[in-house]
Amino acid sequence: MTPVIEMRNIVKMYSNGVVANKGINFSVERGEIHALVGENGAGKSTLMKILYGLEQPTEGELLLDGKTVEFKSPQEAIANGIGMVHQNFMLVPSFTVAENVVLGAEPLGKGGMLDTKQALQVTADLSKQYGLRVDADAVLDSINVGMRQRVEILKMLYRGAQILILDEPTAVLTPQETQELFVAVRALVDQGKTVVFITHKLREVKEISDRVTVMRDGKLIGTQNTADTTTEDMARMMVGREVFLNVNKAPQNRGDKVMEVQNLSYVSEVGRVMLRNVSFNVYAGEVLGIAGVEGNGQTELVEVLTGLRPAASGDAMVHGKVVTSKTPREVRMAGVAHIPEDRLTNGLALDASIEENLIVDRYFDPPFRKGLMIDRKMVLKQGQDLIEEFNIRTPNGQLPVTSLSGGNMQKVIVAREFSSNPKVLIASQPTRGIDVGATEFIRDQLVQKRTDGAAVLLISADLLEVMSLSDRIIAVYEGEITGVFPDAASVSEEELGLYMLGVKRQSFEEMEAYL
Amino acid sequence: MSFNNILQSIFSALFVASVLRISTPIILPALGGLVSDLSGAINIALEGTMLVAAFTGVVVSAYTESVLLGVIAGILSGLLVAAILGVFHLHLKTDIILAGIAINIMATGGTIFLLYVLTGDKGNSSSLASGSMPFIDIPLIKDIPFLGTAFSGHNILVYVSFLLTWLLAVFLYRTRLGVHLRAVGENAEAAASVGINVLLVRWIALLMSGFFASLGGLNMSMAYLTLFQRDMTAGRGFIALAAVYLGGRKPWGVLIAAIIFGAFDALSNQLGSLDVAPQLVQVIPYVATIVALVVYNIRQKAVALERMRSFQEHELTAQQAVGD
Ligand SMILES: Nc1ncnc2c1ncn2[C@@H]1O[C@H](COP(=O)(O)OP(=O)(O)OP(=O)(O)O)[C@@H](O)[C@H]1O
Ligand SMILES: [Mg+2]
């Protein structure tokens, strides 16, 4: 059987000299779910952008159903039935869901005017047909990430895509949303579509894909039937060495109370109580994990603690100094470092270079400040050091941070926050969208910081991550603490799940001693 | 003149008429500013575009003795200025603000220079006999006492500006190109990814804004006045930009904002006879804009505080209830 897609000898050199694909032969069979995995910067997105006509290959050819094709633009790819959902969403915030779905190919009614009813109808129909739940007339700004993703997929289906490329679709999803997406992906395949699926989560590869292709450093390492391979094999192929998916933790040496949170509450702009009388302490030398289904107040908690939002009541203190309702700079000066969950909005200055991003939290003090100026030499040196230490894949630090692959952008943030010698490290989804090798590195570093005596507050949607890294775990549900587990190692996933869903709840007296 | 007289004159049909007359050369460029702003590139060369069109219209209509040719030439000159901005901004990638400032300065100097070359006068073109665009009497309405004076007998551009506002609203919200234009302005990458030609859309938006601005310019020199004066636009291109934001970046909102600016302008003419400096009155709309923004901001803070307070009160009573 001829494969539906065949890419032969693809070489891609970007204008800045980075060779992202080095002679790749990649093929996809009709009707399969094909997973594409590889480290950050391995060239996965680049390869798929070439297939989608967004980038032109420097060398090599593309065959569709055995016939040579050339896509100079996404339109040509779309016309040939290829659709791509990007790692970063491509949606218009003030438009409705339906308007986004039909954008660029709007149905027209009488007199050449837009037919809004028709657009709503088509969106609703497609949504029903593939089980991709959306509110066709909701404004995009008001819907959550999971639904935005479904809008992106519908957009491609509306254009008649037969082959769908999903670039890290689950990176931003909760476990529940991921399951929902998988159901939809299976429905798509049942109805004759082909799916290429990029992910860093090897568990997902096992769960959803028929075949898997591993890339490393711009080269294709191999393609296998998923059933014939294990997650360990895949990890080894990706990184080129043995990867330990379990972290080794030194025994805990818990010190003094560093951060103290007392009766913290937060009410959202629309008047919803997002945090209700939350109290807990974080001690030196511990990782305190917060387990909860996304959207139960974790985001708000982190943003209140880091000065990005004001508290409605209550306080948080670092070494007895109040940090609530202070500016982010003051909070940072008090010794708090923050890895934000949304790296593009809160983590990076997208127009600045990599090395500038690495010093934005400290440029105002020596050694980076010399008199009234910034000492460029120091910035350059710091950039070089951190790029090397954290293995950020880039030719040099003067490049804009947007030239990095998604995972390498995260490494820039991690490098900055870890190198600031924090007393408290608040890490929100620190390994989201990060490859296994880098995940291993970041987790090791987090544990290292804790062993060195920092207080670490870890928020992650990845339950296994919370359980394997934390010394102590707090479960949250609808903005309240439902349980505290002083020994993270002795709690099971199922047990924790019950507290995260609010089914079980400890009384305040039970929790008091351990918070 | 007493204060009462002034009040009387404000509530007169003549005052309404003067507001409409004075607003038009703000409405037109404001619509142009709106289009370019929505497409993602704010056209700050509206002022210069107006000047160039005002000048070209007068000169061509004087030499050809044809109002129509003058108007066409004026519009073409506006499109040309927009095209120059387009080449600099869209192709050579200069900052649009810098390119716009350069164009404004060039328009001021250039028109004075050409005026001097053509007429030997650096102040105005009174030696050139320019035509005027037609004034329209609206049948029926013109015979109704108050309405007739207020709304009939204006220059054609007054009516055209309302018509264009309506057309622009239809264009932006009901047509493909209009929707694409707004999409490009909000998320160009997303627009490009679904096959919208971002560059082409930006070009169209800039040219449209040049078109609107040139009508605004022609309104200055070939309607109520039929001559060109140096710097005769007197900042209207910038006021228009303010109107874009005050009007919430929506066509009808922009129209209303422009009329508000126009009304204060008209008011300052009325107050000229009073002992208040007209400059003080002219400042009112800008002060009002700033005050509105400040109030909006304070209100948001107050709402946030109120939210907290009601939450705390609520919690306390809840806790007391439990305590009892
Ligand atoms: N537009 C660009 N210009 C220059 N270099 C680029 C560009 N896009 C990507 N690169 C570089 O090409 C390499 C491959 O990037 P790519 O985005 O394909 O990686 P990836 O496998 O998708 O990684 P991730 O898992 O982190 O998303 C990286 O080194 C990246 O810095
Ligand atoms: Mg990628």
Side-chain angles (χ1 to χ4, degrees), chain B:
Chain B
M1 198 156 68
S2 76
F3 194 69
N4 261 341
N5 288 347
I6 292 196
L7 274 186
Q8 253 169 28
S9 63
I10 286 175
F11 290 105
S12 71
L14 273 176
F15 183 72
V16 175
S18 76
V19 169
L20 285 180
R21 177 165 47 85
I22 293 171
S23 301
T24 309
I26 303 174
I27 296 172
L28 290 165
L31 295 178
L34 175 67
V35 177
S36 72
D37 186 45
L38 285 177
S39 80
I42 182 78
N43 182 358
I44 72 151
L46 292 172
E47 176 83 3
T49 313
M50 286 174 80
L51 261 186
V52 169
F55 176 78
T56 312
V58 165
V59 170
V60 172
S61 94
Y63 282 97
T64 62
E65 287 170 23
S66 155
V67 172
L68 185 66
L69 286 180
V71 170
I72 291 174
I75 291 173
L76 287 179
S77 70
L79 292 179
L80 181 71
V81 174
I84 294 172
L85 186 63
V87 169
F88 276 105
H89 174 58
L90 298 173
H91 291 281
L92 303 175
K93 312 277 177 213
T94 30
D95 186 282
I96 191 160
I97 305 285
L98 293 182
I101 292 175
I103 284 180
N104 286 336
I105 295 173
M106 231 157 67
T108 311
T111 48
I112 296 174
F113 172 69
L114 287 177
L115 184 68
Y116 180 70
V117 170
L118 291 177
T119 68
D121 188 334
K122 286 185 199 160
N124 65 54
S125 68
S126 47
S127 60
L128 294 175
S130 163
S132 152
M133 281 179 278
F135 288 76
I136 311 274
D137 280 330
I138 309 176
L140 294 179
I141 290 187
K142 77 175 187 331
D143 299 323
I144 307 174
F146 185 92
L147 295 183
T149 324
F151 298 110
S152 181
H154 285 290
N155 188 270
I156 184 167
L157 277 187
V158 172
Y159 306 108
V160 165
S161 68
F162 279 78
L163 183 70
L164 284 177
T165 307
W166 176 72
L167 283 176
L168 187 63
V170 171
F171 168 75
L172 287 173
Y173 293 92
R174 303 288 311 281
T175 71
R176 225 179 228 177
L177 184 57
V179 169
H180 292 185
L181 190 149
R182 290 187 294 127
V184 164
E186 255 190 81
N187 188 345
E189 223 185 340
S193 80
V194 292
I196 295 171
N197 188 334
V198 173
L199 190 66
L200 180 68
V201 169
R202 292 219 161 116
W203 260 112
I204 291 173
L206 259 186
L207 290 177
M208 280 178 74
S209 86
F211 168 75
F212 283 115
S214 63
L215 286 188
L218 290 169
N219 185 256
M220 304 286 313
S221 67
M222 292 181 66
Y224 297 92
L225 283 181
T226 51
L227 58 87
F228 178 83
Q229 286 171 344
R230 60 184 292 169
D231 284 330
M232 74 186 308
T233 48
R236 284 180 179 77
F238 294 108
I239 298 172
L241 286 182
V244 171
Y245 293 101
L246 190 67
R249 303 173 85 218
K250 295 244 161 58
W252 292 106
V254 169
L255 176 93
I256 291 169
I259 291 178
I260 292 175
F261 282 125
F264 279 106
D265 219 352
L267 190 64
S268 68
N269 290 346
Q270 294 287 330
L271 295 183
S273 46
L274 210 63
D275 255 359
V276 186
Q279 289 88 344
L280 271 184
V281 182
Q282 275 163 346
V283 141
I284 293 174
Y286 310 109
V287 174
T289 310
I290 292 172
V291 169
L293 289 173
V294 172
V295 167
Y296 178 74
N297 203 300
I298 291 176
R299 226 184 70 89
Q300 280 204 317
K301 289 228 169 86
V303 168
L305 274 176
E306 172 58 27
R307 237 175 33 223
M308 277 181 211
R309 210 184 47 77
S310 79
F311 170 78
Q312 284 166 356
E313 236 164 49
H314 187 209
E315 280 307 285
L316 282 179
T317 47
Q319 274 167 13
Q320 273 165 4
V322 172
D324 296 343

Side-chain angles (χ1 to χ4, degrees), chain A residues 14 16 18 20 38-47 49 55 87 167-168 200 393 403-408 433:
Chain A
Y14 281 111
N16 62 2
V18 174
E39 286 185 283
N40 297 126
K44 307 177 294 289
S45 297
T46 302
L47 187 67
K49 282 179 189 164
E55 297 285 354
Q87 210 167 340
D167 194 351
E168 294 192 34
H200 288 296
R393 299 277 168 82
S403 75
L404 294 176
S405 77
N408 279 299

Side-chain angles (χ1 to χ4, degrees), chain A residues 52 75 90-95 103-104 106 108 113-114 155 159 265 267-269 273 276-277 310-313, chain B residues 170 173-176 179-180 182-183 186-187 189-196 303 307-308 311-312 315 319:
Chain A
Y52 185 55
Q75 286 58 65
M90 301 271 188
L91 297 166
V92 185
S94 79
F95 284 25
L103 182 63
E106 297 86 352
L108 295 181
M113 295 285 144
L114 295 183
K155 217 162 99 179
R159 285 164 174 73
S265 297
V267 188
S268 76
E269 281 80 10
V273 180
R276 188 186 293 278
N277 290 326
S313 68
Chain B
V170 171
Y173 293 92
R174 303 288 311 281
T175 71
R176 225 179 228 177
V179 169
H180 292 185
R182 290 187 294 127
E186 255 190 81
N187 188 345
E189 223 185 340
S193 80
V194 292
I196 295 171
V303 168
R307 237 175 33 223
M308 277 181 211
F311 170 78
Q312 284 166 356
E315 280 307 285
Q319 274 167 13

